[in-house]
Amino acid sequence: MQNGMLNKLCLPERINWNVVQLAKATGWAEDRIEAIMDVLASAGIVDRVRERTYVANNVTRVLNNPEQRRAIRKPRTKNWVVRARQGEIMRTFGSKNRIAMYPWFRIFPVEEELGKTDGGLKADRALLVDVAETSGQELLDFRKAFPSIMRTCVLEVLPEELEVTGKHLRDNGERRFDGLVKLLPHNILTDPQPVQGARIYLLNGVLHEKHDQDALKILKNTVDAMDGNYSRLLIVEKVALVLEAGQKFGVIRTPEEQEQRMCMERTEQQWTKLLKRAKLVIVQIWEGEGTESVIEAMVKQKEWL
């Protein structure tokens, strides 16, 4: 495996490895190490003995042995763990292939929650800012689902994607919304958020593959534009289950299951810590029928500090 992580776990002079030790030994960030190790533990490739601490097991040793690894490259079994080869996990880690079975506005109660502000929705403010890495189709679907909410929605995309996204919006009915869908160029990592005081800022899958350092840049840029009690941040992501010591989620049997496990998923505790560092507090986690949740957050008020 890249950076010799499995090799480190199999060293005879050390039995247990914690996240800090693995980070120092491999040169990778601790949050990335923890995410990968929890995935490996859930698949049974390593054992998790306590929080952030792992040990090698028989599967680890097989995958770390070149001769044994070559022997299982073309197995008859369909067991995806047995088919694992060096580097496969890291090639899958960070994949951008994510499909939302249920759109965020079917999970988050839009009509009930948007109006819960002192004085109602502000006419001079944007209703929704979609800080997107998408084509904008879901924003159009949102407008179609709630035609009576006559407020501006903004879609932000990278400058180089502006032309293609604009064409997609025009081809798929943007004109029906009487100018209520606007398109802006925006780089989420480097640019301050240009739309100030919107009711909702939406990060739909944006933080999924970002490590804490980049995620904090995005969050802090968003927080700077939010208006105290009025603005809300909606983060559409999977909230990972907490893996107890010795617990496994079972064998990964398909590439789709492997892809889901290898993505950068955070537990509720990890989301809470990350958002706190950006001066945000979780209001509620809305769970849908699919695998994704909507994390509703707001700016932490000074009197709470």
Side-chain angles (χ1 to χ4, degrees), residues 208-275:
H208 179 65
E209 298 156 356
K210 304 292 190 298
H211 299 297
D212 285 359
Q213 184 177 357
D214 286 341
L216 278 171
K217 290 180 184 178
I218 297 168
L219 290 170
K220 288 178 179 178
N221 283 339
T222 306
V223 167
D224 289 343
M226 294 174 69
D227 179 5
N229 287 322
Y230 181 74
S231 297
R232 290 290 185 273
L233 174 64
L234 300 185
I235 301 171
V236 185
E237 296 284 356
K238 295 176 184 177
V239 178
L241 296 175
V242 176
L243 189 68
E244 302 296 338
Q247 180 184 0
K248 298 180 178 64
F249 291 145
V251 172
I252 298 176
R253 299 187 182 278
T254 68
E256 290 77 15
E257 288 182 38
Q258 187 201 37
E259 183 170 334
Q260 289 179 358
R261 301 277 176 87
M262 299 307 160
C263 294
M264 184 69 172
E265 296 171 7
R266 295 176 173 90
T267 64
E268 181 176 347
Q269 183 182 26
Q270 289 170 329
W271 279 116
T272 301
K273 288 181 178 179
L274 178 65
L275 294 176

Side-chain angles (χ1 to χ4, degrees), residues 17-36:
W17 285 80
N18 62 38
V19 168
V20 175
Q21 293 164 338
L22 284 170
K24 289 180 179 178
T26 61
W28 283 3
E30 290 182 22
D31 63 301
R32 189 178 192 187
I33 292 287
E34 185 174 7
I36 295 171

Side-chain angles (χ1 to χ4, degrees), residues 104 124-132 134 136 138-140 142-143 151-157 162 165 169 174 179-186 193-196 198-203:
W104 67 269
D124 61 338
R125 306 282 187 87
L127 171 72
L128 172 68
V129 178
D130 189 346
V131 187
T134 68
E138 200 162 31
L139 180 58
L140 292 177
F142 168 76
R143 288 262 41 138
R151 294 288 188 276
T152 301
C153 293
V154 179
L155 177 67
E156 297 178 342
V157 297
L162 204 62
T165 305
L169 293 177
E174 174 197 17
L180 293 178
V181 175
K182 297 186 180 300
L183 184 62
L184 289 179
H186 180 59
Q193 173 53 246
V195 182
Q196 300 289 310
R199 177 67 175 119
I200 295 293
Y201 292 89
L202 179 67
L203 296 175

Side-chain angles (χ1 to χ4, degrees), residues 114-122 230:
L114 286 185
K116 287 185 178 179
T117 64
D118 294 337
L121 295 175
K122 298 182 180 181
Y230 181 74

Side-chain angles (χ1 to χ4, degrees), residues 24-214:
K24 289 180 179 178
T26 61
W28 283 3
E30 290 182 22
D31 63 301
R32 189 178 192 187
I33 292 287
E34 185 174 7
I36 295 171
M37 294 307 296
D38 278 348
V39 166
L40 296 179
S42 72
I45 296 175
V46 301
D47 287 339
R48 184 176 186 269
V49 292
R50 56 182 175 273
E51 186 177 4
R52 293 164 60 90
T53 304
Y54 310 87
V55 298
N57 58 27
N58 289 336
V59 178
T60 317
R61 296 182 183 93
V62 168
L63 292 178
N64 191 54
N65 185 303
E67 292 185 4
Q68 290 179 307
R69 191 167 59 241
R70 282 195 294 270
I72 62 171
R73 283 191 174 183
K74 295 182 180 180
R76 295 178 181 178
T77 176
K78 293 183 179 180
N79 184 316
W80 195 253
V81 171
V82 175
R83 292 172 59 192
R85 295 197 302 270
Q86 187 178 34
E88 283 183 340
I89 289 171
M90 291 314 303
R91 284 196 295 273
T92 306
F93 183 84
S95 170
K96 289 189 176 181
N97 297 324
R98 55 184 301 277
I99 299 173
M101 294 179 63
Y102 299 90
W104 67 269
F105 52 84
R106 298 301 182 195
I107 302 172
F108 179 76
V110 172
E111 292 178 310
E112 293 86 344
E113 294 298 318
L114 286 185
K116 287 185 178 179
T117 64
D118 294 337
L121 295 175
K122 298 182 180 181
D124 61 338
R125 306 282 187 87
L127 171 72
L128 172 68
V129 178
D130 189 346
V131 187
E133 292 183 339
T134 68
S135 66
Q137 184 58 49
E138 200 162 31
L139 180 58
L140 292 177
D141 292 341
F142 168 76
R143 288 262 41 138
K144 293 174 187 176
F146 302 98
S148 62
I149 304 178
M150 302 299 290
R151 294 288 188 276
T152 301
C153 293
V154 179
L155 177 67
E156 297 178 342
V157 297
L158 290 169
E160 57 267 29
E161 297 174 358
L162 204 62
E163 184 177 348
V164 172
T165 305
K167 183 178 185 303
H168 178 83
L169 293 177
R170 291 190 297 273
D171 292 347
N172 288 273
E174 174 197 17
R175 285 172 291 184
R176 284 181 290 172
F177 303 117
D178 298 323
L180 293 178
V181 175
K182 297 186 180 300
L183 184 62
L184 289 179
H186 180 59
N187 186 312
I188 58 175
L189 282 174
T190 60
D191 298 344
Q193 173 53 246
V195 182
Q196 300 289 310
R199 177 67 175 119
I200 295 293
Y201 292 89
L202 179 67
L203 296 175
N204 190 349
V206 172
L207 303 180
H208 179 65
E209 298 156 356
K210 304 292 190 298
H211 299 297
D212 285 359
Q213 184 177 357
D214 286 341

Side-chain angles (χ1 to χ4, degrees), residues 279-297:
K279 298 183 179 179
L280 289 160
V281 61
I282 293 178
V283 177
Q284 186 165 339
I285 297 179
W286 303 88
E287 297 179 352
E289 297 180 31
T291 58
E292 291 185 330
S293 300
V294 176
I295 304 169
E296 180 185 358

